[in-house]
Amino acid sequence: MSIYRHILVAVDLTDDAAQVVARAQKFQGEGVRFSLVHALEPLGFAYGGDIPMDLTSIQDQLTAHARAKLAELAPLLQVPTERQYVFTGMPDAEIHRLADQEGVDLIIIGSHGRHGLALLLGSTSTGVLHGAHCDVLAVRVGLKTA
C-alpha cells in the first residue's frame, strides 16, 4: 500500500512523458488517485512580447494539443477528464498552485539533469522541487540506453 494518496504527474508532452508516466504507474494501488498536468508558458514570454500580433489563436491551439496529449496518457493512470489540467503560466508556479489546491502529497516530474549554464538558468523540475509543500520525485529522462 502506498503512503501517497493523491499523486500529481507533471508532463512536458515530449517523448520523455512516457518515462514519467511509467514511473508513476509503479505507485498505482488501492486508494491512490492521480492527476495529470501540463503547463504552457505564454507565447508572449517566449518572444519577449515583441511580436506585433495577437497570439491568442496559437495559444488556444497549443492548449487544445496539450489537452489531447493528456487524454492519450490518462488511461495509463486511470485519470478522469476532471483531473487532467492544462494551464498557461510559469510551469513551476502553476504546478505548486495545483498541488496545494488539490491536496497532492507527491508530485512526479521529469528531469533532464542539466548541468552548467542550463542549471544556472533553472529548469521546471528544479523550480518544482524547491517550492513544493509535498514530496517531489524527479524522474531522470532522456537517457540513452544501450
Side-chain angles (χ1 to χ4, degrees), residues 42-55:
L43 287 176
F45 285 5
Y47 295 103
D50 292 336
I51 298 177
M53 62 184 282
D54 183 9
L55 299 173

Side-chain angles (χ1 to χ4, degrees), residues 64-128:
H65 173 75
R67 288 189 193 287
K69 294 298 272 183
L70 286 186
E72 290 175 15
L73 295 170
L76 300 171
L77 296 169
Q78 300 172 352
V79 178
T81 305
E82 62 270 13
R83 287 200 315 267
Q84 297 171 33
Y85 303 95
V86 176
F87 295 110
T88 301
M90 296 306 297
D92 52 349
E94 293 299 329
I95 292 166
H96 292 149
R97 185 182 60 73
L98 179 62
D100 291 344
Q101 173 185 310
E102 296 298 319
V104 166
D105 45 24
L106 175 66
I107 299 169
I108 300 178
I109 189 167
S111 174
H112 292 278
R114 292 184 173 91
H115 301 283
L117 184 58
L119 183 61
L120 290 174
L121 294 175
S123 69
T124 300
S125 59
T126 300
V128 169

Side-chain angles (χ1 to χ4, degrees), residues 6-69:
H6 189 179
I7 300 172
L8 178 62
V9 182
V11 293
D12 66 3
L13 305 182
T14 65
D15 291 340
D16 295 334
Q19 288 179 270
V20 177
V21 170
R23 183 61 58 89
Q25 287 177 308
K26 296 184 182 299
F27 289 91
Q28 285 177 317
E30 185 178 331
V32 178
R33 65 186 172 127
F34 292 90
S35 294
L36 279 169
V37 65
H38 177 72
L40 296 160
E41 286 193 23
L43 287 176
F45 285 5
Y47 295 103
D50 292 336
I51 298 177
M53 62 184 282
D54 183 9
L55 299 173
T56 305
S57 67
I58 296 170
Q59 193 78 52
D60 290 345
Q61 289 175 16
L62 291 172
T63 299
H65 173 75
R67 288 189 193 287
K69 294 298 272 183

